[in-house]
């Protein structure tokens, strides 16, 4: 196994980050001051925080947000180009090829949309999408996404911590796990008949994992609502776990006492464990997880980059697994 | 039938086939440099060369049934080139894995292959192809003797079955076997024809 020191994975405290556009405008600012437009330019400089969101591709409806200030919420890695983020997807309800979802997800109707929050909670409720959109302030989180297949992306998500919703439904003492269920409607999803998995797609987290501020309810990316193939209208994003742990197009969130039976764990338990934390030291049975290929950034002949423990989020989530055998609990 | 009537004997047939067989390679190479292979070009190269290896193996194995069924003995003259192209794409497949996946880290490759059954099977198929490619010229046939040469070249059956297993194992975990199934059917037909044909000849003999 090849380990390298941190290469391209450093986090900074969010407060230290100067947004790129602001950084690039410094030169412009100096010029403006020099020609006497200084006061106006200084006003714009002071307002820089309000403009912190990544530039929009102008393809879908805007979803404004402010840059997250939570620890680990904004990585410094270069963003994966929008077109790669929306055209290289695993969403088997729309086909098993990476290019299938972008071709086939057009039929998905994302409004009206409700999410049933139920199980071991004091305040179960069926939420309407509009209610969820207003439930907490939208933040931009720039997360690394590591797929179990050995590739990764850097995606500017828009959403808020799942804990915001969890706090509102008040889990009872019996709630130990959270189960997420993806929509399964064969009228909108052409590949439900393919028997690749037993639909609907179910994923789950331990309650403390779900409560970690990094666990995101994502409603958008690149400053706009989610494209269908990326899990519209809302999905989960858990940056320290392999991508398949993050359910897409969520219709049900259930709090349970027992560990949920998750789709990939049922399909191939020896390959896809319940935890599925990104771990360079625990290989997939058929390939090493020590390295990864960054989509869109590394050229075709570039060396793969080393994968970091918990996808680089160890400072934020390492304590969740203190004392656990991560080889057994993969 | 006089040989001259067969279009397969046209002097341009072989050079033409040579160029056609090189087109997938040219296309992949162009794609790698023009960045038209999609968001994950390395994966597209590895998969593309693997797909073409299997396809050329099937084409090579299709020559004999086609030759017999269409009564066109001249088709046999293309078999060697198709087989060599299968080896060519297999070598490219291995090189693209070694380069793009493993960064030519020989230590890592040596550790990686035995760890993963599907990689091991693929590598074994490549190893078995090497003696076939190495003995693909006329003097090798003479040197080995036609009988022994033919026996050696029956290894192609093992190669194609290992190649299919390699592809099957690669896809099996995700139950994404539609493509594997297509190759399995084609290979079953090609090998099945040989069994039926051999049994028929035994009876007739």
């Amino acid at each position: 196994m090849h380990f390298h020191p941190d290469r391209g994975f450093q986090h900074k405290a969010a407060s230290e980050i100067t947004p790129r556009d602001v950084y690039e405008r410094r030169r412009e600012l100096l010029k403006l001051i020099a020609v006497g437009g200084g006061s106006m330019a200084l006003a714009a400089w002071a307002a820089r925080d309000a403009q912190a969101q990544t530039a929009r591709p102008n393809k879908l409806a805007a979803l404004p947000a402010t840059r997250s200030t939570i620890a680990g919420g904004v990585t410094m890695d270069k963003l994966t180009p929008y077109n790669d983020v929306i055209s290289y997807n695993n969403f088997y309800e729309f086909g098993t090829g990476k290019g299938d979802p972008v071709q086939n997800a057009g039929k998905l109707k994302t409004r009206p949309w409700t999410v049933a929050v139920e199980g071991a909670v004091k305040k179960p409720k069926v939420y309407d999408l509009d209610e969820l959109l207003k439930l907490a302030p939208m933040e931009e989180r720039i997360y690394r996404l590591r797929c179990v297949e050995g590739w990764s992306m850097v995606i500017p998500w828009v959403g808020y911590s799942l804990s915001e919703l969890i706090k509102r439904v008040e889990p009872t003492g019996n709630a130990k796990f959270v189960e997420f269920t993806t929509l399964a409607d064969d009228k909108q999803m052409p590949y439900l008949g393919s028997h690749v998995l037993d639909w609907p797609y179910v994923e789950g987290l331990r309650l403390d994992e779900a409560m970690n501020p990094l666990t995101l309810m994502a409603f958008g990316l690149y400053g706009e609502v989610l494209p269908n193939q990326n899990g519209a209208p809302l999905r989960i994003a858990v940056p320290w776990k392999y991508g398949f742990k993050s359910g897409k197009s969520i219709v049900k969130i259930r709090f349970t006492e027992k560990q949920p039976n998750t789709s990939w764990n049922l399909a191939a338990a020896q390959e896809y464990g319940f935890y599925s934390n990104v771990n360079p030291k625990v290989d997939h049975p058929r390939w090493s997880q020590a390295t990864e290929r960054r989509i869109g950034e590394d050229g075709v002949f570039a060396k793969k980059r080393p994968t970091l423990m918990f996808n680089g989020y160890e400072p934020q989530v390492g304590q969740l697994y203190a004392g656990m055998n991560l080889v057994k609990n993969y | 039938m006089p040989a001259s009537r067969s279009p397969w004997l046209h002097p341009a047939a072989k050079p033409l086939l040579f160029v056609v067989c090189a087109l997938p390679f040219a296309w992949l190479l162009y794609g790698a440099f023009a960045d038209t292979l999609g968001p994950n070009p390395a994966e597209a190269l590895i998969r593309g060369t693997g797909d073409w290896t299997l396809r050329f193996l099937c084409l090579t194995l299709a020559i004999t049934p086609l030759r017999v069924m269409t009564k066109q003995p001249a088709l046999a003259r293309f078999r060697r080139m198709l087989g060599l192209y299968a080896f060519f794409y297999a070598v490219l497949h291995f090189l693209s894995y070694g380069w793009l996946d493993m960064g030519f880290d020989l230590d890592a490759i040596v550790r990686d292959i035995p760890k993963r059954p599907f990689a091991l099977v693929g590598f074994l198929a490549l190893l078995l192809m090497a003696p076939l490619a190495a003995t693909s010229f006329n003097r090798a046939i003479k040197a080995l003797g036609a009988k022994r040469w033919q026996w050696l070249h029956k290894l192609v059956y093992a190669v194609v079955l290992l190649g299919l297993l390699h592809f099957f194992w690669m896809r099996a975990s995700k139950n994404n076997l539609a493509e594997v199934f297509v190759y399995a059917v084609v290979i079953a037909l090609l090998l099945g024809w040989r069994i039926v044909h051999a049994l028929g000849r035994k009876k007739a003999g």
Side-chain angles (χ1 to χ4, degrees):
Chain A
M1 227 165 288
H2 23 310
F3 285 107
H4 304 264
D6 257 17
R7 177 152 68 79
F9 279 99
Q10 300 92 335
H11 276 302
K12 280 195 175 174
S15 56
E16 288 174 42
I17 298 168
T18 307
R20 187 189 174 145
D21 52 342
V22 174
Y23 168 81
E24 282 168 350
R25 271 189 285 124
R26 273 180 185 152
R27 192 178 290 256
E28 207 181 313
L29 176 74
L30 290 171
K31 261 192 227 157
L32 278 170
I33 292 170
V35 298
S39 60
M40 263 174 65
L42 278 172
W45 177 249
R48 65 196 185 276
D49 283 343
Q51 305 173 352
Q53 189 176 287
T54 297
R56 285 178 57 195
N58 287 310
K59 302 274 190 218
L60 296 168
L63 191 58
T66 50
R67 274 225 169 142
S68 178
T69 54
I70 70 157
V74 178
T75 110
M76 297 298 289
D77 300 22
K78 193 177 152 215
L79 297 181
T80 300
Y82 180 79
N83 280 330
D84 291 344
V85 172
I86 65 161
S87 64
Y88 191 79
N89 306 104
N90 281 322
F91 198 162
Y92 282 13
E93 287 86 337
F94 295 109
T96 50
K98 293 284 186 298
D100 291 343
V102 68
Q103 300 292 326
N104 301 329
K107 275 190 218 148
L108 181 68
K109 225 176 123 225
T110 56
R111 267 175 201 272
W113 190 278
T114 57
V115 180
V117 185
E118 55 183 50
V121 287
K122 291 197 190 101
K123 295 177 174 171
K125 182 177 161 136
V126 177
Y127 283 88
D128 184 71
L129 178 62
D130 289 309
E131 260 178 291
L132 287 173
L133 284 164
K134 282 181 269 178
L135 188 111
M138 288 288 169
E139 293 183 12
E140 180 171 80
R141 301 266 181 94
I142 301 180
Y143 284 168
R144 287 181 290 273
L145 170 83
R146 169 62 152 78
C147 178
V148 71
E149 297 166 343
W151 52 267
S152 60
M153 293 187 180
V154 181
I155 302 177
W157 300 109
V158 179
Y160 48 76
S161 295
L162 176 65
S163 61
E164 297 282 353
L165 174 69
I166 296 178
K167 276 184 250 163
R168 281 170 175 79
V169 296
E170 297 178 25
T172 68
N174 288 333
K176 304 277 190 299
F177 294 91
V178 193
E179 179 189 275
F180 307 94
T181 306
T182 296
L183 178 75
D185 178 1
D186 51 18
K187 287 184 205 77
Q188 304 179 62
M189 299 171 142
Y191 279 79
L192 286 186
S194 69
H195 303 294
V196 174
L197 287 168
D198 282 329
W199 316 109
Y201 191 92
V202 174
E203 258 308 336
L205 297 170
R206 225 167 49 191
L207 186 60
D208 59 340
E209 296 177 322
M211 286 297 290
N212 186 283
L214 282 175
T215 302
L216 189 70
M217 285 254 283
F219 298 85
L221 54 82
Y222 267 95
E224 301 184 348
V225 297
L226 284 171
N228 289 352
Q229 63 273 21
N230 292 81
L234 80 155
R235 62 170 294 167
I236 306 298
V238 193
W240 70 93
K241 291 176 182 283
Y242 293 119
F244 71 90
K245 285 301 287 183
S246 303
K248 298 187 173 98
S249 304
I250 300 290
V251 290
K252 191 161 75 180
I253 300 176
R254 186 176 179 80
F255 292 75
T256 63
E257 193 167 0
K258 282 190 190 141
Q259 182 174 305
N261 287 321
T262 59
S263 290
W264 278 113
N265 193 232
L266 287 175
Q270 71 286 0
E271 303 195 3
Y272 309 105
F274 175 78
Y275 285 95
S276 291
N277 292 314
V278 175
N279 188 338
K281 286 176 274 184
V282 178
D283 287 342
H284 184 275
R286 284 172 303 113
W287 57 81
S288 161
Q289 292 291 23
T291 59
E292 65 199 46
R293 175 166 287 120
R294 183 60 56 80
I295 300 296
E297 180 183 337
D298 298 343
V300 59
F301 303 117
K303 231 179 151 167
K304 289 166 85 175
R305 63 176 62 212
T307 288
L308 289 195
M309 190 66 204
F310 297 117
N311 203 19
Y313 297 92
E314 190 167 18
Q316 289 81 34
V317 300
Q319 78 283 356
L320 292 174
Y321 310 101
M324 248 174 96
N325 180 342
L326 295 176
V327 176
K328 228 171 115 191
N329 299 288
Y330 56 94
Chain B
M1 183 167 60
S4 59
R5 268 208 237 147
S6 171
W8 308 114
L9 286 172
H10 194 280
K14 252 188 178 175
L16 197 69
L17 184 70
F18 182 87
V19 171
V20 169
C21 292
L23 286 179
F25 170 64
W27 182 245
L28 287 170
L29 201 65
Y30 166 78
F33 287 100
D35 197 17
T36 58
L37 296 176
N40 193 344
E43 177 191 72
L45 281 177
I46 295 171
R47 289 196 178 178
T49 49
D51 284 346
W52 284 107
T53 305
L54 264 180
R55 286 170 197 159
F56 274 101
L57 278 170
C58 290
L59 285 172
T60 311
L61 285 173
I63 287 288
T64 299
L66 274 180
R67 174 173 63 91
V68 173
M69 286 190 290
T70 62
K71 300 195 171 68
Q72 291 282 335
L75 280 171
R77 59 200 287 267
F78 304 124
R79 193 172 57 179
R80 177 186 300 171
M81 194 197 291
L82 291 170
L84 281 170
Y85 260 113
F87 182 64
F88 171 68
Y89 282 100
V91 168
L92 285 179
H93 181 58
F94 180 68
L95 281 179
S96 41
Y97 150 81
W99 186 3
L100 307 176
D101 249 9
M102 309 305 288
F104 279 142
D105 181 343
L106 213 62
D107 274 0
I109 295 172
V110 167
R111 270 177 288 125
D112 190 56
I113 290 176
K115 209 162 59 184
R116 311 192 288 157
F118 96 93
L120 189 62
V121 161
F123 187 64
L124 195 62
L126 178 73
L127 286 185
L128 290 183
M129 287 173 95
L132 308 197
T135 58
S136 63
F137 51 97
N138 290 337
R139 274 180 43 200
I141 303 177
K142 266 195 202 135
L144 280 170
K147 267 254 165 69
R148 253 187 296 172
W149 186 91
Q150 254 177 355
W151 182 87
L152 178 69
H153 281 246
K154 289 207 165 104
L155 277 179
V156 71
Y157 303 131
V159 169
V160 75
L161 290 173
L162 288 171
L164 184 65
L165 183 62
H166 172 68
F167 192 37
F168 169 80
W169 263 343
M170 205 264 295
R171 289 284 174 88
S173 76
K174 295 217 164 175
N175 294 321
N176 182 14
L177 295 172
E179 262 182 280
V180 181
F181 184 72
V182 173
Y183 284 102
V185 167
V186 170
I187 290 166
L189 286 173
L190 292 172
L191 299 187
W193 179 89
R194 283 168 165 80
I195 293 169
V196 171
H197 189 68
L199 290 176
R201 282 219 317 220
K202 223 178 211 169
K203 251 187 211 159

